[in-house]
Amino acid sequence: MKLDNETIVHRYGKALFELAEEMKIRNEFHSELQEYKKVLQNEPQLKVFMSSNQISPKAKLKIMEILKKDSSKLMTNLLDMLYDYGRITNLEGIIDEFDRLNDEFEKTVRASVITAIELDEERKQKLASSFANVVGAKKVIIDPIVDPGIIGGVILKSESYIYDGSIKTKIARIKRLLLK
C-alpha cells in the first residue's frame, strides 16, 4: 500500500522528533533542520531535480553527497532513507511537522498579526505577551502582515484561534445591525 504525503510527513516528523528528544539533541537538530529548510526554499528547483525521471540516479547521488556534507549522523541517515524510499521531496514537509511538534513541546504558538500599519517592536512584544496569556503559551512568535484594507485595529490568527478586532470588521457588524 502506497502512503500519501501527509501520512509520510507525519510519521517521519514524529519519529525524528522522538528520536532527537531521546538522543537529547532536539534543539541542535531543530537548528540543523532549519538550515535545510532554507536551502529548500532558496533552491526550489532542487525538489524538481530530485524527483525528475530524466535525471540519472548518479547525478542525484552527487547532489545527495553535497547535501549530506557536514551533516549530523541523524540528518545523514534521514536523507539516505528518504532518497532510498523515493521520498526526498517530502523533506520540507517533514521539517514542518518536526517544527510543529517542537512548538507544541515548547508551548510556542505562531501567529499572524495583520495591521493597517507596521508595528514597532514594543507593540509586537505587547501583542505577543497578551496573546500568550489568552492561548496559554509560553512564547508567541509573531509574523507581522501589513494590510491597509483593514483600516485600523488588529487581526490575530494562529492555528487554533482567530481574533478580529479590525475597524473594517467593526464597520461591517454595524452595517449588519442597521440592516436588520
Side-chain angles (χ1 to χ4, degrees):
M1 178 175 95
K2 188 170 178 171
L3 298 174
D4 62 74
N5 287 335
E6 189 176 325
T7 303
I8 291 167
V9 161
H10 179 71
R11 284 184 183 175
Y12 279 73
K14 185 174 190 227
L16 266 181
F17 181 81
E18 290 173 357
L19 190 55
E21 181 61 21
E22 184 180 304
M23 296 170 69
K24 298 187 182 340
I25 60 166
R26 182 180 48 82
N27 288 328
E28 299 85 3
F29 192 64
H30 183 251
S31 297
E32 185 175 13
L33 287 174
Q34 295 314 300
E35 292 302 315
Y36 275 87
K37 189 171 183 175
K38 285 179 194 170
V39 168
L40 294 170
Q41 290 172 340
N42 292 335
E43 303 294 337
Q45 64 274 23
L46 180 62
K47 206 177 198 179
V48 174
F49 180 89
M50 294 304 288
S51 62
S52 174
N53 292 330
Q54 280 78 39
I55 307 296
S56 73
K58 189 175 181 180
K60 290 179 184 179
L61 284 172
K62 282 184 183 177
I63 295 298
M64 288 299 294
E65 290 307 313
I66 293 168
L67 285 173
K68 294 187 298 186
K69 189 174 187 258
D70 300 325
S71 294
S72 68
K73 179 98 169 112
L74 183 57
M75 191 69 203
T76 299
N77 289 344
L78 172 65
L79 290 171
D80 285 340
M81 188 167 41
L82 291 175
Y83 180 78
D84 291 345
Y85 287 106
R87 296 178 174 157
I88 197 73
T89 57
N90 294 111
L91 180 58
E92 191 169 1
I94 292 166
I95 294 170
D96 289 342
E97 178 65 8
F98 187 100
D99 287 346
R100 187 189 70 73
L101 292 167
N102 195 58
D103 285 349
E104 192 176 284
F105 181 82
E106 293 185 347
K107 294 188 185 329
T108 299
V109 172
R110 296 177 187 274
S112 298
V113 176
I114 305 167
T115 55
I117 59 169
E118 193 168 330
L119 296 175
D120 59 27
E121 280 306 310
E122 183 183 338
R123 287 190 180 165
K124 286 180 196 173
Q125 290 303 319
K126 284 182 181 177
L127 273 173
S129 177
S130 296
F131 195 58
N133 289 335
V134 170
V135 296
K138 285 185 181 176
K139 180 179 176 185
V140 173
I141 298 172
I142 288 182
D143 175 26
I145 299 168
V146 176
D147 178 2
I150 70 167
I151 304 169
V154 65
I155 300 172
L156 276 160
K157 293 181 182 180
S158 71
E159 194 172 298
S160 60
Y161 187 87
I162 297 176
Y163 168 78
D164 188 343
S166 66
I167 302 294
K168 182 179 180 179
T169 300
K170 289 177 183 177
I171 290 171
R173 276 190 215 128
I174 292 169
K175 281 182 180 177
R176 279 196 308 269
L177 288 172
L178 291 172
L179 292 173
K180 279 187 174 182

